[in-house]
Amino acid sequence: MNPQISATAAQRRSPAAETDVAAPTDRLVVEEGRWITNWQPENSEFWDGPGRPTARRNLIWSVFCEFLGFAVWQLWSVTVVFLPLVGFDLTTSEQFWLVSLPPLVGATLRVPYSFMVAMIGGRNWTIISALLLLIPTVAMALTLGNPETPNWALFAIAAAAGFGGGNFSSSMANITYFYPAKEKGAALGVNAAGGNLGVAVAQFTVPIVVTAFAFGALQPNLPAAGLFWIPFILLASWGARKYMHNLSHAKNDLKGSLSALKEKHLWIISLIYIGTFGSFMGFGSVFPTLINIQFPEFSSIQVLGAALSLAFLGPLVGSLARPCGGRLADRIGGARVTITSFLAMAGVTAAVVLTLSMANFWIYLLLFLALFTLTGVANGSSYRMIPVVFRLSVDPADRVGHERKASSALGLIGAIGAYGGFAIPQILRVSNESTGSFDIAFWVFATGYVALAGLTWLVYMRPGTVFARANV
């Protein structure tokens, strides 16, 4: 190996290299493996020169890879409905487990994924995490055409789809290093929104793909649910390899993460976020299954495919409403918007139960669209609360500092909140098995939303508290 290159690579992680005052501001210093060693987003000369276009290029490919991650994460939410139509012998309980496993695995993977960027580089991990999406998609293509495939194999493939759920944390961790403080929020918002749209696109695309290529219009072509995404995954991994970069200064803040875990407000807001983002993911996972069960008249493949293709509207409006929740929170306070959203969510879930006897698909759809919209608004408002709460609650003498704790808390709360995607389908499953209907589950959700509204008011809006005075 060239000794000059070797020496430079050895310096890549050294403090001296990271604090080199002579680092150029008019060009990028890119070493072997596409490592940038002079990234200076807070330096206006650098940012207005090579910085901004390089950051934008990395953001574009990061969004694309994260978008595919969310799409793969939610493939089973709609594919599972078609399994009995091609001969798979599944109980209703097993169908709920198949839509619950991807959120469970994805939520769990979010924590280790958030550390991988600093360990091996953002570009490198984006390539790997994109290629990992081939495991569930190729497996679906190979197995879903054979109804003799054992159920344990289906559960394993569904669990592997959870790889897509972890992509959010690594993508957000990577992009935060590229942008200056003044533009970080906007960049992370674009990254998050672009990823969330993968849920809607997957639920819109899969019913169309499997029914458009149905065998003689009698059976859906389920292998197409996995095959469709493979070219896009390969394109994403190629694009990440060719156009993205690793940053030498990106480091794990393990001390900040461990310190944030000791803060009670991390756990309070995590509980709130389970009710907001967890509801978005949970209902997103189970909505197609609920449509199939509640409206058995959609029995023909083409009619069922048309009905299920409308399920994508829920995640779509939820994703689009998230930035609105953030903007509302900036204007009138995050706690106020979150409480209002929770109370409205309670009213909508109660209305779902009260209108079930009407067996009207359009009323059912509209109520769920309202519910998804409210979860999106609450996602934005509750997430906006995190840095403000930590600024007010962390002791100024704390050596870790509120900014580091808040930064670590953002990732941890996102991971914990995703477990709601597992909890909601399981509560619905237990309700259906115990009573033969989903009524009890929806009343539990309504009660839970009222309780979360009360908790948010008690901690963050109760008169006389520091949080109320700051209009958190």
Side-chain angles (χ1 to χ4, degrees), residues 205-271:
T205 303
V206 170
I208 294 175
V209 169
V210 300
T211 55
F213 295 97
F215 299 119
L218 296 177
Q219 287 189 342
N221 184 359
L222 291 191
L227 283 170
F228 177 82
W229 303 97
I230 293 175
F232 298 103
I233 293 170
L234 294 174
L235 174 63
S237 59
W238 171 84
R241 182 179 184 277
K242 184 173 178 62
Y243 295 108
M244 292 186 71
H245 298 85
N246 301 304
L247 297 180
S248 62
H249 75 282
K251 290 183 177 181
N252 282 324
D253 189 8
L254 182 59
K255 184 177 180 180
S257 297
L258 294 176
S259 182
L261 287 171
K262 300 175 184 178
E263 293 289 334
K264 69 176 182 179
H265 289 286
L266 178 136
W267 300 103
I268 294 173
I269 299 182
S270 291
L271 186 59

Side-chain angles (χ1 to χ4, degrees), residues 97-119:
W97 272 106
L98 284 173
V99 301
S100 299
L101 285 173
L104 176 64
V105 174
T108 304
L109 288 178
R110 283 188 165 195
V111 174
Y113 266 52
S114 65
F115 288 98
M116 295 306 295
V117 169
M119 290 178 65

Side-chain angles (χ1 to χ4, degrees), residues 253-429:
D253 189 8
L254 182 59
K255 184 177 180 180
S257 297
L258 294 176
S259 182
L261 287 171
K262 300 175 184 178
E263 293 289 334
K264 69 176 182 179
H265 289 286
L266 178 136
W267 300 103
I268 294 173
I269 299 182
S270 291
L271 186 59
I272 293 170
Y273 204 58
I274 288 175
T276 59
F277 179 74
S279 293
F280 171 80
M281 287 304 304
F283 286 121
S285 297
V286 82
F287 189 33
T289 300
L290 289 176
I291 291 175
N292 185 47
I293 293 174
Q294 296 295 137
F295 299 94
E297 62 268 25
F298 298 152
S299 56
S300 74
I301 293 173
Q302 299 299 335
V303 172
L304 179 61
L308 292 182
S309 66
L310 294 175
F312 90 98
L313 292 172
L316 176 64
V317 297
S319 299
L320 297 177
R322 182 167 183 157
C324 299
R327 286 195 291 270
L328 276 173
D330 287 336
R331 293 181 59 185
I332 64 175
R336 192 182 307 277
V337 176
T338 302
I339 291 170
T340 303
S341 298
F342 273 138
L343 293 176
M345 288 163 65
V348 171
T349 50
V352 169
V353 179
L354 297 175
T355 59
L356 278 178
S357 60
M358 300 171 64
N360 187 304
F361 171 73
W362 298 107
I363 292 177
Y364 194 75
L365 177 64
L366 288 174
L367 287 173
F368 265 94
L369 291 183
L371 183 58
F372 275 108
T373 301
L374 291 166
T375 64
V377 171
N379 281 344
S381 61
S382 58
Y383 218 57
R384 179 264 186 191
M385 293 167 59
I386 298 171
V388 183
V389 167
F390 274 76
R391 175 170 55 82
L392 295 171
S393 63
V394 174
D395 188 339
D398 191 322
R399 286 182 295 177
V400 175
H402 69 83
E403 289 187 358
R404 287 176 62 189
K405 285 190 176 183
S407 177
S408 298
L410 287 169
L412 293 169
I413 290 170
I416 297 169
Y419 281 107
F422 171 77
I424 283 181
Q426 288 301 307
I427 293 172
L428 287 163
R429 178 187 64 82

